[in-house]
Amino acid sequence: MHIFVLLILLTSGLSTQAADYRRYINKRTRPLHDLLIKKQFLIIANPPTCKTNYLMRGYFISRYRAIYLCVDNLLEDPRLGDISGRDKFDDAKKQLSTTLTHEAVHAAQWCKGSKDWTLFNLSGSDTLGGFRDSALDSSTKIRGNRKSEKEAYLLESKPDIVMEAFDLYCQALSPGER
């Protein structure tokens, strides 16, 4: 397992466009990022799996306590720069911060250990509206859990709430687990 994680880290470091994903994390999301690191979760930019789906922005794998960010996919998206008249860098910052927060929700859900992988008792049947519904449908097909995906979409713009949940439910590894 450790060798796999090291290989991912090495290959992610070879990315040409997004050498340091942290420059794309906004100030509001930075404390959540730092808490993830403090609690010994890995954040890995541009793993090889991102190249299999250029619409993918990120994912969480509990087995490795790792959040994977598809930074290059985001930066190569031709739609960047068209949102609210902002420039490409600002859009990338907003979207990557949202992606990190979304995946941190999944990490907190996993840490909590509830049967349905949720933090709160939300209904999984309501809609989110517009584009978010199609994104929810796509995520649900991959992950298979509509309630946990819906919760992540609802909280992805609220890093302060996610940070509280993450801090409450997630612990750092003990020395024997490292």
Side-chain angles (χ1 to χ4, degrees):
M1 174 169 87
H2 294 292
I3 291 172
F4 175 76
V5 171
L6 285 174
L7 286 172
I8 294 285
L9 285 170
L10 286 173
T11 58
S12 68
L14 300 175
S15 173
T16 57
Q17 204 169 16
D20 187 359
Y21 71 88
R22 292 173 294 187
R23 69 183 279 219
Y24 298 102
I25 303 296
N26 65 29
K27 288 180 185 177
R28 256 184 88 216
T29 308
R30 182 59 78 146
L32 174 60
H33 169 272
D34 295 345
L35 182 61
L36 286 159
I37 300 298
K38 180 182 173 188
K39 298 270 185 156
Q40 300 168 315
F41 279 73
L42 296 171
I43 301 173
I44 300 168
N46 300 313
T49 50
C50 292
K51 293 184 189 302
T52 63
N53 179 351
Y54 290 105
L55 295 176
M56 187 183 309
R57 297 290 186 251
Y59 56 98
F60 169 66
I61 297 182
S62 58
R63 180 179 188 182
Y64 303 115
R65 292 174 60 105
I67 291 174
Y68 300 87
L69 300 173
C70 301
V71 182
D72 284 346
N73 286 359
L74 176 69
L75 294 176
E76 292 169 10
D77 190 330
R79 297 171 294 183
L80 284 185
D82 297 333
I83 302 169
S84 301
R86 293 187 309 260
D87 64 24
K88 186 172 184 168
F89 182 77
D90 286 343
D91 285 347
K93 246 181 145 161
K94 180 182 186 299
Q95 290 189 32
L96 191 67
S97 296
T98 299
T99 298
L100 178 64
T101 304
H102 180 107
E103 299 309 328
V105 170
H106 292 315
Q109 291 167 334
W110 172 72
C111 290
K112 183 180 178 192
S114 67
K115 192 179 219 179
D116 65 358
W117 261 59
T118 59
L119 299 170
F120 307 104
N121 190 16
L122 297 174
S123 165
S125 60
D126 297 340
T127 63
L128 297 171
F131 168 76
R132 294 174 77 189
D133 283 328
S134 62
L136 175 61
D137 292 340
S138 296
S139 298
T140 301
K141 285 178 187 170
I142 294 168
R143 192 136 186 269
N145 187 330
R146 188 170 185 83
K147 284 177 83 172
S148 69
E149 280 301 328
K150 180 181 175 188
E151 185 173 75
Y153 278 107
L154 289 170
L155 294 173
E156 69 185 11
S157 62
K158 299 173 176 39
D160 47 340
I161 293 172
V162 176
M163 193 166 119
E164 287 181 33
F166 189 83
D167 198 32
L168 177 66
Y169 295 118
C170 297
Q171 305 303 317
L173 294 172
S174 64
E177 294 176 305
R178 292 183 190 165

